[in-house]
Amino acid sequence: MVEDDEHLGRSIKRGLRAEGFATDLALDGVDGLWRAREGDYDVVVLDIMLPGLNGYQICAELRGAGNWTPILMLTAKDGEFDVAEALDTGADDYLSKPFSYVVLVARIRALLRRARTSSPTVLVAGDLRLDPAAHRVWRGGAEIMLTPRQFALLEFLMRRAGEAVPKSTILEHVWDFAFEGDPNIVEVYVRHLRKKIDEPYGRNAIQTVRLVGYRLDPDGG
């Protein structure tokens, strides 16, 4: 998220975290462009009026470099020409301030669904299934209730099933780029996940890769 109003930006960031999104916040255009170029993001929420570089410039730079990460323009500029310029520059969606937080989250989820059209609607690893759109998980015919963060962790691992994923990568994507807490939080959440998706079913889907991180068995354990 690139937003120069720090209070608003941090408020939205807290809300998105509660929804299970790992969110980084840049407070100016230069930092925002650098993060968008260097990071592996699913969506960029981008203000237009920014110090350093404005949102139009950032969007044009990213598209010119072949970066097609979905972009949602979030701004106080709501004239029809502003909307047209945002979309013509390469933005995928546009939301004017003041905005409904519920609508913001819904639009971010819609952009994520569009970006994943080449991926299966429901992620499957053996009899373990995860539906990102419906936010539901099943082991066989039994539905499993997960917290937003547990769900985000499982989805991240299932999208990389079979890969050894370092803990640092998990922190960066499931928490955020600037996470400064105890990195052992990953182990805590993995343990909670295992108690819900593995242990009751005698499975071992989430495997520990010594000195690296974790791997989700593509066959579901």
Side-chain angles (χ1 to χ4, degrees), residues 43 63 88 120 176 185 192 209:
V43 173
R63 298 308 188 229
D88 287 342
D176 62 48
I185 191 70
H192 291 167
V209 182

Side-chain angles (χ1 to χ4, degrees), residues 6-21 23 101 149:
E6 185 172 0
H7 177 73
L8 175 62
R10 296 198 182 284
S11 175
I12 295 173
K13 180 176 179 175
R14 285 194 299 272
L16 292 176
R17 277 182 170 178
E19 295 289 336
F21 293 107
T23 308
Y101 178 74
R149 187 74 68 189

Side-chain angles (χ1 to χ4, degrees), residues 51-67:
L53 293 171
N54 66 41
Y56 299 133
Q57 292 171 306
I58 294 173
C59 190
E61 288 274 354
L62 291 174
R63 298 308 188 229
N67 185 325

Side-chain angles (χ1 to χ4, degrees), residues 44-49 54-60 70-77 82-83 85-87 89-97 104 107 111:
V44 175
V45 179
L46 180 61
D47 194 11
I48 289 179
M49 303 302 292
N54 66 41
Y56 299 133
Q57 292 171 306
I58 294 173
C59 190
I71 293 175
L72 170 63
M73 289 284 199
L74 183 64
T75 177
K77 295 171 68 66
D82 297 316
V83 175
E85 184 173 357
L87 298 176
T89 305
D92 298 274
D93 201 358
Y94 189 102
L95 189 59
S96 299
K97 302 174 185 175
L104 172 63
R107 292 197 177 187
L111 288 175

Side-chain angles (χ1 to χ4, degrees), residues 142-158:
E143 185 166 1
I144 301 169
M145 298 295 108
L146 300 179
T147 67
R149 187 74 68 189
Q150 291 168 357
F151 187 94
L153 174 57
L154 180 59
E155 180 181 358
F156 184 73
L157 292 174
M158 289 188 74

